[in-house]
């Protein structure tokens, strides 16, 4: 099940008052502001009024906060500046202006740390973490959430601690650690139940429902989402029901109950528009678009899916961009719009690879740094122990010389002690060496796994290129152009097979050339001769080659055999026509021979294929000979250091 299918409750650190009490409070604050005479009172009242307006009217909150900030700067009031910047951050956060909100939160955080305002610092850390989480920066988000949780626990803030537990659970959810995320959600729910906090209960229940939805436990997900929806509905607050409503819609969609799914998703969409929540807006629109596809409302489906993508892209929501672009690719593919389908496929592949490659690069860097640190630390410790051992041995030797003059028996005792001591030190050194070897072995295994994953992804990327070339060839009318595309597709397939062999074999630094060439040759033969009219003779000795060497031999073989099928046998069903391939590992060289009994070559130097073959042979420092006496025979020889014979 894809990530981002439903939306987590990101618990932002601001209160949402009930509407009647809110109107009364706003009127009271506005009246007090009119009567205020000192700038200090005006700053305090402007900030209080802006805070209450953040979720009701973000534009008004921003204007009031900017006015308060100007006064606070003029009067040099650090607390007034911190409160104004915090309100600006909240308002822009709600509006989805995440980069602006982060800058304002950071400025407020510096001021509140200078004032030792632990409660304010905890709230700002929580809000900044929620933006990092939406942007996909999970390490930064987790660090901020954990700092916020630590401060709240020190302050005895149970409600805030429950919010932080929920948010930390969200990060583990994004990292697909569902067991750990469920533990944090349930701990938060336990605190909310103890406090009788209805809103907190609704949020925690919604997050528990999302874990069950992601792990395919749809009935459990539905039960928790329904309870969350009922809790939020009982509060009669704006901008809160859209979270469980969206979750219910996603769950009903998975259960195939499209009418119920449409009802709740439409409710989530309407509230997300009113509250300007880009995450809920993008998520609900994407699934509404897929429901429209199922109902054959294709125009409506296209509009909803494109709107979902536009919202996600405008707000830098990477996960939602990935999901929406995949849905648009599938939509346009099903409608036969190849250009649009390919466009969104490229976007989806780019976003997906960026997310995965960032994780992969970070993992490689972390392993390398840890290994180097451990290696340097162990080397220093070993040198110190060696120096200490040398010093102790010298002391013992001098004592032995002095005591040997007077006590023969003492000499024997000292010798025995030295031998025992040496044995123990050597035994300890062997143990340390064994530990270091184990660490090195484990690190190498981890690196090998990462390299295999890289080869796997390169192979997948080459397959996508091959698929794109295949689609393009179907759209080209000119036969010469179509054949050129097919030739390129065949060459890409030759390179893809090398990476497939690398990640599927036990060795990541070499390729079994005989197995690789056999797969490649059989693939080319099936492509040109599906009926099996040509006889194929393969004699391939086991030889291991470096990946680049194997890839070049594959490209050479692909060119020669493809040329044979195209030109060597003019009659498609001629009896007795054959192609022979041999790979021989001699004492000083490796020889690859490819021959056919066809009509032979005419002016071989003038063809592009022959020029490509010669260039590839030069790149591997080999020699090429061509014999057209009886058919055509190509022989490529490599010096032995490029490869080694494999013995089974």
């Amino acid at each position: 099940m894809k990530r981002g299918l439903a939306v987590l409750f990101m618990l932002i650190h601001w209160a949402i008052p009930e509407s009647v009490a809110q109107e009364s409070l706003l009127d009271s604050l506005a009246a007090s502001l009119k009567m205020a005479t000192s700038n200090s009172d005006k700053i305090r009242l402007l900030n209080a009024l802006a805070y209450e307006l953040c979720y009701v009217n973000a534009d008004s909150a921003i204007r009031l906060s900017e006015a308060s900030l100007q006064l606070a700067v003029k009067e040099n009031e650090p607390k007034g500046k911190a409160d104004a910047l915090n309100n600006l951050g909240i308002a822009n956060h709600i509006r989805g202006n995440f980069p602006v909100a982060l800058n304002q939160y950071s400025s407020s955080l510096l001021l509140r740390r200078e004032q030792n305002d632990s409660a304010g610092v905890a709230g700002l850390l929580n809000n900044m973490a929620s933006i990092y989480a939406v942007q996909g920066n999970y390490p930064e988000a987790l660090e901020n959430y954990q700092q916020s949780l630590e401060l709240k626990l020190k302050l005895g803030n149970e409600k805030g601690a429950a919010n932080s537990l929920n948010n930390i659970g969200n990060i583990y959810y994004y990292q697909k650690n569902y067991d750990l995320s469920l533990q944090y959600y349930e701990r938060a729910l336990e605190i909310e139940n103890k406090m009788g906090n209805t809103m907190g209960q609704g949020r925690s229940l919604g997050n528990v429902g999302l874990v069950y939805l992601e792990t395919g436990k749809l009935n459990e997900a539905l039960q928790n989402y329904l309870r969350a929806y009922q809790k939020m509905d009982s509060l009669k607050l704006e901008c809160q029901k859209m979270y469980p409503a969206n979750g219910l819609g996603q769950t009903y969609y998975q259960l195939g109950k499209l009418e119920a799914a449409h009802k709740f998703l439409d409710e989530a969409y309407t509230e997300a528009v009113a509250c300007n929540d880009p995450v809920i807006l993008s998520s609900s629109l994407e699934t509404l678009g897929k429901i429209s596809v199922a109902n054959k409302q294709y125009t409506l489906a296209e509009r909803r899916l494109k709107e979902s993508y536009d919202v996600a892209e405008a707000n830098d929501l990477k996960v939602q961009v990935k999901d929406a672009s995949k849905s648009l690719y599938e939509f346009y593919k099903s409608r036969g719009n190849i250009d649009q389908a390919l466009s969104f496929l490229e976007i989806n592949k780019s976003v997906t690879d960026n997310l995965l490659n960032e994780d992969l690069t970070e993992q490689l860097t972390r392993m390398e740094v840890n290994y180097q640190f451990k290696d340097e630390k162990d080397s220093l410790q070993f040198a110190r122990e060696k120096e200490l051992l040398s010093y102790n041995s010298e002391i013992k030797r001098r004592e032995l010389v002095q005591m040997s003059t007077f006590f023969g028996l003492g000499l024997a005792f000292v010798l025995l002690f030295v031998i025992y001591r040496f044995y123990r030190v050597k035994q300890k050194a062997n143990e340390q060496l064994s530990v270091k070897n184990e660490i090195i072995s484990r690190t190498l295994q981890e690196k090998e796994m990462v390299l295999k994953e890289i080869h796997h992804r390169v192979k997948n990327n080459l397959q996508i290129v091959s698929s794109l070339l295949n689609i393009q060839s179907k759209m080209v009318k000119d036969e010469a152009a179509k054949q050129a595309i097919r030739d390129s597709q065949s060459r890409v397939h030759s390179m893809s097979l090398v990476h497939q062999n690398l990640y599927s074999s036990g060795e990541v630094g070499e390729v079994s050339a005989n197995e690789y060439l056999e797969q490649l040759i059989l693939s080319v033969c099936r492509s040109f001769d599906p009926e099996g009219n040509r006889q194929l003779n393969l004699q391939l000795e086991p030889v291991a080659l470096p990946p680049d060497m194997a890839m070049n031999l594959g490209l050479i073989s692909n060119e020669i055999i493809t040329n044979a099928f195209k030109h060597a046998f003019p009659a498609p069903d001629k009896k007795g026509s054959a192609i022979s391939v041999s790979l021989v590992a001699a004492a000083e060289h490796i020889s690859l021979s490819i021959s056919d009994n066809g009509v032979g070559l005419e002016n071989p130097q003038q063809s592009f294929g022959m020029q490509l073959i010669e260039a590839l042979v030069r790149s591997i420092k080999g020699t090429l000979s061509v014999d057209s006496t009886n058919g055509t025979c190509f022989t490529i020889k490599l010096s032995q250091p490029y490869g080694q014979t494999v013995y089974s």
Side-chain angles (χ1 to χ4, degrees), residues 179-466:
D179 291 338
L180 198 54
S181 67
L182 188 59
Q183 291 178 23
Y184 276 95
Y185 293 150
E186 289 176 342
R187 284 174 59 191
L189 182 58
E190 183 180 349
I191 295 175
E192 302 290 4
N193 289 337
K194 178 182 176 182
M195 296 172 57
N197 183 1
T198 303
M199 180 178 289
Q201 290 170 335
R203 289 171 171 172
S204 298
L205 285 166
N207 287 340
V208 171
L210 182 54
V211 173
Y212 285 128
L213 177 61
E214 189 71 18
T215 54
K217 299 177 181 179
L218 300 181
N219 290 328
E220 291 86 344
L222 188 62
Q223 292 173 8
N224 282 277
Y225 274 134
L226 283 171
R227 290 175 62 196
Y229 183 85
Q230 291 165 359
K231 295 284 185 184
M232 293 302 186
D233 189 41
S234 68
L235 294 172
K236 306 300 180 187
L237 296 178
E238 296 178 351
C239 303
Q240 294 301 304
K241 276 201 302 181
M242 59 182 173
Y243 298 106
N246 184 67
L248 282 169
Q250 305 291 352
T251 306
Y252 278 123
Y253 176 77
Q254 290 295 313
L255 289 167
K257 298 180 180 181
L258 301 187
E259 185 176 349
H262 190 282
K263 171 190 171 184
F264 285 104
L265 288 169
D266 190 59
E267 180 180 352
Y269 166 77
T270 302
E271 191 167 318
V273 171
C275 300
N276 195 19
D277 189 304
V279 180
I280 293 288
L281 194 59
S282 177
S283 176
S284 58
L285 277 169
E286 184 201 354
T287 309
L288 284 169
K290 291 195 281 191
I291 292 174
S292 298
V293 172
N295 293 330
K296 299 183 179 180
Q297 298 171 315
Y298 300 117
T299 302
L300 178 60
E302 183 180 18
R303 188 178 77 242
R304 285 172 166 172
L305 290 174
K306 289 184 72 175
E307 187 178 351
S308 171
Y309 174 81
D310 290 341
V311 170
E313 185 182 42
N315 291 278
D316 194 25
L317 307 177
K318 294 182 181 179
V319 174
Q320 282 70 31
V321 168
K322 177 173 70 71
D323 296 340
S325 60
K326 181 179 179 181
S327 296
L328 281 164
Y329 160 69
E330 292 172 348
F331 172 78
Y332 284 121
K333 180 182 176 183
S334 68
R335 302 297 297 160
N337 191 335
I338 301 300
D339 290 338
Q340 287 281 54
L342 290 176
S343 174
F344 283 104
L345 176 62
E346 290 176 1
I347 292 171
N348 177 264
K349 191 70 177 67
S350 175
V351 175
T352 302
D353 283 350
N354 283 341
L355 291 172
L356 292 175
N357 288 336
E358 286 172 6
D359 293 341
L360 198 60
T361 302
E362 182 182 352
Q363 181 184 356
L364 280 168
T365 303
R366 190 187 308 116
M367 283 195 304
E368 185 67 22
V369 170
N370 288 342
Y371 172 75
Q372 291 177 356
F373 174 78
K374 180 65 177 176
D375 187 61
E376 291 172 3
K377 181 180 177 182
D378 287 348
S379 297
L380 182 59
Q381 181 180 357
F382 182 80
R384 288 177 177 175
E385 288 180 354
K386 185 177 180 181
E387 183 181 357
L388 180 61
L389 178 60
S390 176
Y391 178 77
N392 288 340
S393 297
E394 179 64 18
I395 295 235
K396 296 302 179 184
R397 188 188 64 80
R398 291 178 181 179
E399 291 178 351
L400 180 62
V401 171
Q402 292 174 359
M403 293 177 66
S404 62
T405 307
F406 305 100
F407 306 102
L409 293 176
L411 173 62
F413 176 80
V414 172
L415 284 172
L416 288 173
F417 177 81
V418 171
I419 292 172
Y420 176 77
R421 177 70 175 172
F422 180 80
Y423 167 76
R424 290 295 299 161
V425 171
K426 184 178 180 181
Q427 187 180 47
K428 184 177 180 180
N430 288 336
E431 291 173 355
Q432 291 173 342
L433 182 61
S434 176
V435 171
K436 288 194 290 185
N437 288 337
E438 182 180 353
I439 293 172
I440 292 171
S441 176
R442 184 166 61 250
T443 304
L444 290 174
Q445 289 175 359
E446 291 173 351
K447 288 184 178 179
E448 184 173 306
M449 289 176 63
V450 173
L451 286 173
K452 286 187 176 182
E453 179 63 17
I454 291 173
H455 285 301
H456 192 183
R457 291 181 185 173
V458 172
K459 190 269 294 184
N460 288 344
N461 289 339
L462 289 172
Q463 285 185 341
I464 289 176
V465 172
S466 180

